[in-house]
mmCIF file of all heavy atoms in Angstrom:
data_model
loop_
_atom_site.group_PDB
_atom_site.id
_atom_site.type_symbol
_atom_site.label_atom_id
_atom_site.label_comp_id
_atom_site.label_asym_id
_atom_site.label_seq_id
_atom_site.Cartn_x
_atom_site.Cartn_y
_atom_site.Cartn_z
ATOM 1 N N SER B 139 -23.140 -39.500 35.340
ATOM 2 C CA SER B 139 -23.741 -40.105 34.204
ATOM 3 C C SER B 139 -23.631 -39.046 32.921
ATOM 4 O O SER B 139 -23.257 -37.879 33.159
ATOM 5 C CB SER B 139 -25.033 -40.526 34.412
ATOM 6 O OG SER B 139 -25.945 -39.629 34.929
ATOM 7 N N VAL B 140 -24.103 -39.497 31.794
ATOM 8 C CA VAL B 140 -24.255 -38.478 30.667
ATOM 9 C C VAL B 140 -25.653 -38.706 30.104
ATOM 10 O O VAL B 140 -26.070 -39.854 29.865
ATOM 11 C CB VAL B 140 -23.139 -38.652 29.632
ATOM 12 C CG1 VAL B 140 -21.703 -38.286 30.167
ATOM 13 C CG2 VAL B 140 -23.127 -40.045 28.955
ATOM 14 N N VAL B 141 -26.246 -37.588 29.640
ATOM 15 C CA VAL B 141 -27.490 -37.726 28.870
ATOM 16 C C VAL B 141 -27.383 -38.617 27.805
ATOM 17 O O VAL B 141 -26.341 -38.571 26.939
ATOM 18 C CB VAL B 141 -28.022 -36.396 28.348
ATOM 19 C CG1 VAL B 141 -29.243 -36.484 27.485
ATOM 20 C CG2 VAL B 141 -28.333 -35.469 29.545
ATOM 21 N N GLU B 142 -28.089 -39.567 27.628
ATOM 22 C CA GLU B 142 -28.019 -40.642 26.516
ATOM 23 C C GLU B 142 -29.296 -40.908 25.787
ATOM 24 O O GLU B 142 -30.375 -41.098 26.470
ATOM 25 C CB GLU B 142 -27.533 -41.972 27.067
ATOM 26 C CG GLU B 142 -27.468 -43.070 26.201
ATOM 27 C CD GLU B 142 -27.149 -44.443 26.946
ATOM 28 O OE1 GLU B 142 -26.082 -44.571 27.621
ATOM 29 O OE2 GLU B 142 -27.999 -45.324 26.892
ATOM 30 N N LEU B 143 -29.291 -40.992 24.469
ATOM 31 C CA LEU B 143 -30.469 -41.411 23.733
ATOM 32 C C LEU B 143 -30.156 -42.713 23.068
ATOM 33 O O LEU B 143 -29.114 -42.653 22.276
ATOM 34 C CB LEU B 143 -30.894 -40.298 22.708
ATOM 35 C CG LEU B 143 -31.278 -38.949 23.351
ATOM 36 C CD1 LEU B 143 -31.475 -37.940 22.238
ATOM 37 C CD2 LEU B 143 -32.515 -39.088 24.206
ATOM 38 N N GLY B 144 -30.918 -43.754 23.295
ATOM 39 C CA GLY B 144 -30.598 -45.079 22.655
ATOM 40 C C GLY B 144 -31.396 -45.063 21.328
ATOM 41 O O GLY B 144 -32.411 -44.413 21.169
ATOM 42 N N LEU B 145 -30.703 -45.732 20.333
ATOM 43 C CA LEU B 145 -31.219 -45.564 18.936
ATOM 44 C C LEU B 145 -31.459 -46.926 18.417
ATOM 45 O O LEU B 145 -31.000 -47.343 17.333
ATOM 46 C CB LEU B 145 -30.229 -44.869 18.073
ATOM 47 C CG LEU B 145 -29.652 -43.520 18.517
ATOM 48 C CD1 LEU B 145 -28.484 -43.020 17.765
ATOM 49 C CD2 LEU B 145 -30.858 -42.496 18.332
ATOM 50 N N TYR B 146 -32.333 -47.711 19.089
ATOM 51 C CA TYR B 146 -32.665 -48.977 18.694
ATOM 52 C C TYR B 146 -33.089 -49.123 17.284
ATOM 53 O O TYR B 146 -32.670 -49.908 16.382
ATOM 54 C CB TYR B 146 -33.703 -49.882 19.589
ATOM 55 C CG TYR B 146 -32.915 -50.587 20.629
ATOM 56 C CD1 TYR B 146 -32.905 -50.091 21.936
ATOM 57 C CD2 TYR B 146 -32.489 -51.866 20.374
ATOM 58 C CE1 TYR B 146 -32.238 -50.918 22.903
ATOM 59 C CE2 TYR B 146 -31.780 -52.572 21.494
ATOM 60 C CZ TYR B 146 -31.632 -52.032 22.677
ATOM 61 O OH TYR B 146 -30.940 -52.874 23.621
ATOM 62 N N GLU B 147 -34.084 -48.163 16.951
ATOM 63 C CA GLU B 147 -34.752 -48.258 15.619
ATOM 64 C C GLU B 147 -33.775 -47.870 14.510
ATOM 65 O O GLU B 147 -33.600 -48.585 13.529
ATOM 66 C CB GLU B 147 -35.885 -47.347 15.536
ATOM 67 C CG GLU B 147 -37.092 -47.898 14.688
ATOM 68 C CD GLU B 147 -38.295 -47.078 15.044
ATOM 69 O OE1 GLU B 147 -38.291 -46.304 16.096
ATOM 70 O OE2 GLU B 147 -39.263 -47.203 14.168
ATOM 71 N N SER B 148 -32.964 -46.759 14.651
ATOM 72 C CA SER B 148 -32.000 -46.356 13.749
ATOM 73 C C SER B 148 -31.030 -47.423 13.586
ATOM 74 O O SER B 148 -30.380 -47.723 12.538
ATOM 75 C CB SER B 148 -31.275 -45.116 14.185
ATOM 76 O OG SER B 148 -32.328 -44.076 14.533
ATOM 77 N N THR B 149 -30.572 -47.957 14.768
ATOM 78 C CA THR B 149 -29.452 -48.947 14.643
ATOM 79 C C THR B 149 -29.882 -50.087 13.749
ATOM 80 O O THR B 149 -29.154 -50.602 12.852
ATOM 81 C CB THR B 149 -29.290 -49.506 16.054
ATOM 82 O OG1 THR B 149 -28.790 -48.523 16.882
ATOM 83 C CG2 THR B 149 -28.085 -50.513 15.991
ATOM 84 N N SER B 150 -31.071 -50.607 13.959
ATOM 85 C CA SER B 150 -31.547 -51.773 13.222
ATOM 86 C C SER B 150 -31.532 -51.440 11.635
ATOM 87 O O SER B 150 -31.027 -52.158 10.829
ATOM 88 C CB SER B 150 -33.016 -52.207 13.419
ATOM 89 O OG SER B 150 -32.961 -52.686 14.881
#
Side-chain angles (χ1 to χ4, degrees):
Chain B
S139 53
V140 295
V141 173
E142 175 188 299
L143 297 174
L145 304 169
Y146 266 103
E147 213 163 349
S148 309
T149 303
S150 296

